[in-house]
């Protein structure tokens, strides 16, 4: 009887075959991310000349990156998106209750793994978002962090790495790859990559992998959980003054 409350899986094998547009999207994602990781410092002086501030330049680059990949991702996954939205629409109360429940579970898991590590560390990604929020208004950050960004990441790390790759590779290996690569993405570029900085993103990735597989590989459910978590983070960033964040960091062990 417990399975009656779950979103039933909707196996349609043709939706999980790799297509040329999937490869094009993935190559674009890796190529652009790799380019800025390698040549970002070289482009910084040019970007500062055409942008009013470093924050504006950073925002523009990220928006261009995610918008470009997001359009390709949506075109590649449009049939899956349509199917998954229809599936969720048949269980509206499940969706409305389980999305916030999954976000709460993610936050609890993150707090537990950080507490067990014995040390809280703010990642460069989080610090960058806090700094960006001081100069970019919320109405510009929401489309990037809540709408486009989560969809691109769910398409890459859940739909491709698990939904499609698991047709050829053991699903548990795909899930592990999804968690590790998702976490690595969010700390790449730091001067010193530490396990402590990785832990919160491992917890987040594990939760998103769980809800994706649990709901029968429902891309949109995982997206809604991811987007809701990011929306909550944006609200906290803009609602809490920067000096409070600094005080919190100073009292960390």
């Amino acid at each position: 009887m417990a399975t009656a409350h779950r979103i039933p899986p909707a196996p349609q094998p043709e939706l999980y075959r790799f297509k040329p547009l999937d490869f094009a999207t993935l190559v674009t994602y890796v190529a652009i991310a790799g380019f800025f990781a390698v040549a970002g410092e070289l482009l910084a002086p040019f970007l500062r000349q055409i942008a009013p501030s470093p924050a504006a330049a950073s925002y523009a680059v990220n928006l261009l990156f995610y918008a470009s990949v997001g359009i390709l991702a949506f075109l590649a996954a449009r049939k899956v998106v349509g199917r998954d939205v229809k599936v969720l629409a048949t269980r509206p109360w499940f969706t409305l209750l389980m999305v916030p429940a999954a976000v709460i579970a993610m936050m609890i898991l993150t707090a537990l793994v950080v507490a067990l590590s014995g040390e809280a560390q703010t990642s460069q990604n989080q610090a960058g978002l806090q700094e960006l929020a001081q100069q970019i208004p919320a109405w510009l950050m929401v489309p990037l962090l809540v709408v486009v960004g989560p969809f691109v990441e769910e398409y890459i790390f859940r739909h491709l790495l698990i939904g499609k790759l698991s047709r050829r590779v053991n699903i548990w290996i795909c899930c592990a790859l999804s968690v590790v690569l998702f976490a690595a993405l969010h700390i790449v570029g730091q001067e010193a990559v530490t396990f402590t900085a990785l832990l919160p993103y491992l917890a987040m990735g594990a939760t998103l992998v769980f809800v994706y597989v649990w709901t029968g590989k429902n891309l949109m459910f995982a997206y809604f959980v991811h987007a809701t978590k990011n929306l909550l983070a944006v609200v906290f960033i803009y609602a809490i003054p920067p000096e409070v964040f600094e005080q919190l960091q100073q009292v960390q062990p």
Side-chain angles (χ1 to χ4, degrees):
M1 294 298 293
T3 56
H5 299 287
R6 286 181 51 192
I7 296 177
Q12 292 177 276
E14 68 278 5
L15 297 182
Y16 294 96
R17 295 191 182 99
F18 279 102
K19 298 179 181 179
L21 193 52
D22 290 317
F23 289 108
T25 306
L26 185 59
V27 168
T28 302
Y29 180 85
V30 173
I32 297 178
F35 175 77
F36 281 105
V38 173
E41 292 299 323
L42 298 177
L43 290 175
F46 171 74
L47 293 173
R48 293 192 187 100
Q49 290 181 358
I50 63 175
S53 67
S58 176
Y59 173 82
V61 167
N62 278 280
L63 183 62
L64 180 62
F65 168 55
Y66 277 103
S68 301
V69 179
I71 291 172
L72 291 175
F74 179 79
L75 292 175
R78 63 189 183 281
K79 292 183 179 179
V80 173
V81 169
R83 182 207 63 183
D84 289 353
V85 168
K86 289 179 182 178
V87 171
L88 293 177
T90 65
R91 303 282 180 96
W93 286 110
F94 176 93
T95 305
L96 290 174
L97 291 174
M98 292 310 297
V99 166
V103 173
I104 293 172
M106 182 189 299
M107 295 171 66
I108 293 174
L109 179 60
T110 302
L112 286 174
V113 296
V114 170
L116 290 175
S117 72
E119 180 183 359
Q121 178 177 335
T122 302
S123 69
Q124 183 175 320
N125 180 70
Q126 182 66 25
L129 288 177
Q130 293 170 7
E131 183 178 353
L132 201 60
Q134 297 176 27
Q135 304 179 59
I136 304 296
W139 65 272
L140 285 176
M141 293 290 284
V142 167
L144 175 62
L145 297 180
V146 180
V147 180
V148 184
F151 182 79
V152 169
E153 292 179 2
E154 291 311 305
Y155 168 80
I156 297 288
F157 295 100
R158 254 58 70 183
H159 182 58
L160 293 188
L161 277 181
I162 301 176
K164 294 200 171 188
L165 188 61
S166 64
R167 296 183 73 246
R168 301 174 180 273
V169 180
N170 181 278
I171 190 170
W172 297 110
I173 295 177
C174 294
C175 290
L177 281 174
S178 176
V179 173
V180 172
L181 293 179
F182 175 80
L185 168 75
H186 289 84
I187 65 169
V188 68
Q190 292 195 115
E191 293 183 4
V193 176
T194 64
F195 185 65
T196 304
L198 199 65
L199 278 175
Y201 297 108
L202 287 173
M204 182 179 178
T207 306
L208 291 169
V209 165
F210 173 79
V211 298
Y212 176 74
V213 174
W214 182 61
T215 55
K217 299 178 181 178
N218 193 295
L219 170 64
M220 294 310 292
F221 187 85
Y223 164 69
F224 287 139
V225 172
H226 193 160
T228 302
K229 185 270 177 188
N230 280 16
L231 177 61
L232 191 61
V234 169
V235 170
F236 278 130
I237 288 174
Y238 281 92
I240 300 177
E243 56 271 16
V244 175
F245 275 116
E246 293 177 2
Q247 292 174 1
L248 291 174
Q249 293 173 9
Q250 290 175 359
V251 298
Q252 290 176 358

